[in-house]
Amino acid sequence: MIRHDLLKTLIPVISDQLVVCNIGAPSQELHSLDDQPTNFYMLGTMGLASSIGFGLALAQDKPVISIDGDGSVLTNLATLSTIANNPRDNFILLIVDNGSYGSTGDQPTYAGRRTSLAAVARACGCETVIEVAAEDTPQALADALAAKRMTVIVSKCDSGNVQVPVITMNPITIRERFMAAVAE
Amino acid sequence: MAKEMDKRIIGDFVENGVDFVTSVPCKQLAGVIEVLDRTPAIKHVPSNKEDEGMGLCAGAYMGGMRPAIFMQNTALGVVVNTLATLIQFYQIPLPMLISYRGEVGEPVACQVEMALHTKAILNQLHIPTYHFHRPEDADELPGILNHTRMCSKPVAILTDASFWRDAT
Ligand SMILES: [Mg+2]
């Protein structure tokens, strides 16, 4: 299962939740599948989906799901120690781990080789870390939301993209729409 | 050991409504961070790197808090992309209290290298920049914090070695 199909199966779980979505293909795919005011699309700044989502979770009590990628987490690995040391039970980090830099042409990442992001998250001190197959991710995410416990989910899926349009929405519009949804 | 100036700076941030600070430490900011850690009105979440910290600030802002970042000027070598594509692109007000290492009084030669680029990078990014060189320059801090909020931009407050040497 590739990321696009994974995101599609996640829609019933995440549609009404606050979601901070990673730059590039993930945001474009989510936007084309189910554009919602509760989605914050990153248009730039690779690596910071987890940090932005975690800052949001620290600032208010609604659940926040950061949808990140393996390549992006590798570029900001220390985020896992920040999350682990300031736990917030309204935060879920979903790492879509397809072992490749999907938005740039599917070049392999080290997460697809010897590096286990789940093991790194545990070593950083994250208490609830689960690695699941793509097919099992909607249930794992629903369980994490129901448990109200900070969770890192590493979802192993296949490499590959579908053709979807870039997001042309103005960044201020994305932010203001999202902030209104957060405050609602 | 924190100085009066450290307390005054944190007091100005609190007074302005800043309630979320992330930091990466610098020796010159040690007193400010010490005061920060005993200021319940501000949630302090240290970050490992300044771009990560700016991500936290962006999220905290969208969650209704008023963020700021404390960091060293060398970090400007790390955060150019984050400033341009996150903080500026999405118009997030962000006061940056910056230890301006490498100015007169600096004991470490290597620090001068990034000091040479500090104002050039800030100018290139069109970031409003204020340089605290004498203790009385800190009188401007409340105005600068209001200005940051008003214009929804990142704003740099550079604090150099002379400022910290003469501050009581
Ligand atoms: Mg990937």
Side-chain angles (χ1 to χ4, degrees), chain A residues 3 69-71 96-102 109:
Chain A
R3 181 191 51 244
D70 52 317
V96 177
D97 182 358
N98 59 2
S100 69
Y101 294 101
T109 68

Side-chain angles (χ1 to χ4, degrees), chain A residues 40-45 48 51-52 54-56 58-60 76 78-79 81-82 86 171-172 174-175 178-179 182, chain B residues 20 43-48 51-52 54-56 58-65 81-82 85-86 89-92:
Chain A
F40 180 75
Y41 305 113
M42 291 177 67
L43 302 173
T45 340
L48 295 189
S51 304
I52 297 169
F54 190 60
L56 176 62
L58 287 166
Q60 53 81 57
N76 183 22
T79 186
S81 69
T82 305
N86 302 276
I172 314 304
I174 294 173
R175 174 175 66 65
F178 184 69
M179 286 177 73
V182 171
Chain B
F20 182 94
K43 183 169 186 60
H44 177 211
V45 180
S47 45
N48 304 291
D51 54 348
E52 181 206 355
M54 288 186 184
L56 294 172
Y61 178 71
M62 292 195 290
M65 293 187 94
N81 178 53
T82 304
T85 66
L86 181 64
F89 199 49
Y90 288 90
Q91 291 183 8
I92 293 165

